[in-house]
Coordinates of all heavy atoms in Angstrom, one line a residue:
M1 N 18.8 -6.8 -24.5 CA 19.0 -5.5 -23.9 C 19.9 -4.5 -24.8 O 19.8 -3.3 -24.6 CB 19.8 -5.6 -22.5 CG 18.8 -6.1 -21.5 SD 19.4 -6.1 -19.8 CE 20.6 -4.8 -19.7
A2 N 20.5 -5.1 -25.8 CA 21.3 -4.3 -26.7 C 20.4 -3.4 -27.5 O 20.9 -2.4 -28.0 CB 22.2 -5.2 -27.6
E3 N 19.1 -3.8 -27.7 CA 18.2 -3.0 -28.5 C 17.8 -1.7 -27.7 O 17.3 -0.7 -28.3 CB 16.9 -3.8 -28.7 CG 17.1 -5.0 -29.5 CD 15.9 -5.8 -29.6 OE1 14.7 -5.2 -29.5 OE2 16.0 -7.1 -29.6
L4 N 18.0 -1.6 -26.4 CA 17.6 -0.5 -25.6 C 18.7 0.6 -25.5 O 19.8 0.3 -25.1 CB 17.2 -0.9 -24.2 CG 16.1 -2.0 -24.1 CD1 15.9 -2.5 -22.7 CD2 14.8 -1.5 -24.7
Q5 N 18.4 1.7 -26.0 CA 19.3 2.8 -26.0 C 18.9 4.0 -25.1 O 17.8 4.6 -25.4 CB 19.5 3.4 -27.4 CG 20.0 2.3 -28.4 CD 21.4 1.8 -28.1 OE1 22.2 2.6 -27.6 NE2 21.6 0.5 -28.2
P6 N 19.7 4.3 -24.1 CA 19.3 5.5 -23.2 C 19.2 6.8 -24.1 O 20.0 7.0 -25.0 CB 20.5 5.6 -22.2 CG 21.0 4.2 -22.2 CD 20.8 3.6 -23.5
G7 N 18.2 7.6 -23.8 CA 18.0 8.8 -24.6 C 17.1 8.6 -25.8 O 16.6 9.5 -26.4
Q8 N 16.9 7.3 -26.3 CA 16.1 7.0 -27.4 C 14.9 6.1 -27.1 O 13.8 6.3 -27.6 CB 17.0 6.4 -28.5 CG 18.0 7.3 -29.0 CD 18.9 6.6 -30.1 OE1 18.7 5.5 -30.5 NE2 20.0 7.3 -30.5
S9 N 15.1 5.1 -26.3 CA 14.1 4.1 -26.0 C 13.1 4.7 -25.0 O 13.5 5.5 -24.2 CB 14.7 2.8 -25.4 OG 15.6 2.3 -26.4
R10 N 11.9 4.2 -25.2 CA 10.8 4.7 -24.3 C 10.3 3.5 -23.4 O 10.7 2.4 -23.6 CB 9.7 5.3 -25.1 CG 10.2 6.5 -26.0 CD 9.0 7.2 -26.7 NE 8.0 7.7 -25.8 CZ 8.1 8.8 -25.1 NH1 9.3 9.5 -25.2 NH2 7.1 9.3 -24.4
R11 N 9.4 3.8 -22.5 CA 8.8 2.8 -21.6 C 8.3 1.6 -22.4 O 8.5 0.5 -22.1 CB 7.7 3.4 -20.7 CG 8.2 4.1 -19.6 CD 7.1 4.4 -18.6 NE 7.6 5.1 -17.5 CZ 7.4 6.4 -17.2 NH1 6.6 7.1 -18.0 NH2 7.9 7.0 -16.1
D12 N 7.5 1.9 -23.5 CA 6.9 0.9 -24.3 C 8.0 0.0 -24.9 O 7.8 -1.2 -25.0 CB 6.1 1.5 -25.4 CG 4.8 2.2 -24.9 OD1 4.4 1.9 -23.7 OD2 4.3 3.1 -25.6
D13 N 9.1 0.6 -25.3 CA 10.2 -0.2 -25.9 C 10.8 -1.2 -24.8 O 11.1 -2.3 -25.1 CB 11.3 0.7 -26.4 CG 10.8 1.7 -27.5 OD1 9.9 1.3 -28.3 OD2 11.4 2.8 -27.5
V14 N 11.0 -0.7 -23.6 CA 11.6 -1.5 -22.6 C 10.6 -2.6 -22.2 O 11.0 -3.8 -22.1 CB 11.9 -0.6 -21.3 CG1 12.3 -1.5 -20.1 CG2 12.9 0.4 -21.6
A15 N 9.3 -2.3 -22.1 CA 8.3 -3.3 -21.9 C 8.2 -4.4 -23.0 O 8.1 -5.6 -22.7 CB 7.0 -2.7 -21.6
A16 N 8.4 -4.0 -24.2 CA 8.4 -4.9 -25.3 C 9.6 -5.9 -25.3 O 9.5 -7.0 -25.6 CB 8.4 -4.1 -26.7
V17 N 10.8 -5.4 -24.9 CA 12.0 -6.2 -24.8 C 12.0 -7.0 -23.6 O 12.3 -8.2 -23.6 CB 13.2 -5.3 -25.0 CG1 14.5 -6.1 -24.7 CG2 13.3 -4.6 -26.3
L18 N 11.8 -6.4 -22.4 CA 12.0 -7.1 -21.1 C 10.7 -7.6 -20.5 O 10.7 -8.4 -19.5 CB 12.7 -6.2 -20.1 CG 14.1 -5.7 -20.5 CD1 14.6 -4.7 -19.5 CD2 15.0 -6.9 -20.7
G19 N 9.6 -7.1 -21.0 CA 8.3 -7.5 -20.4 C 7.9 -6.6 -19.3 O 8.5 -5.5 -19.0
T20 N 6.8 -7.0 -18.5 CA 6.4 -6.2 -17.4 C 7.4 -6.2 -16.3 O 7.9 -7.3 -16.0 CB 5.0 -6.8 -16.9 OG1 4.1 -6.9 -18.0 CG2 4.4 -6.0 -15.8

Side-chain angles (χ1 to χ4, degrees):
M1 285 192 24
E3 299 173 29
L4 302 174
Q5 300 297 320
Q8 296 176 6
S9 300
R10 303 187 57 77
R11 281 191 178 109
D12 294 339
D13 301 327
V14 175
V17 172
L18 300 177
T20 305

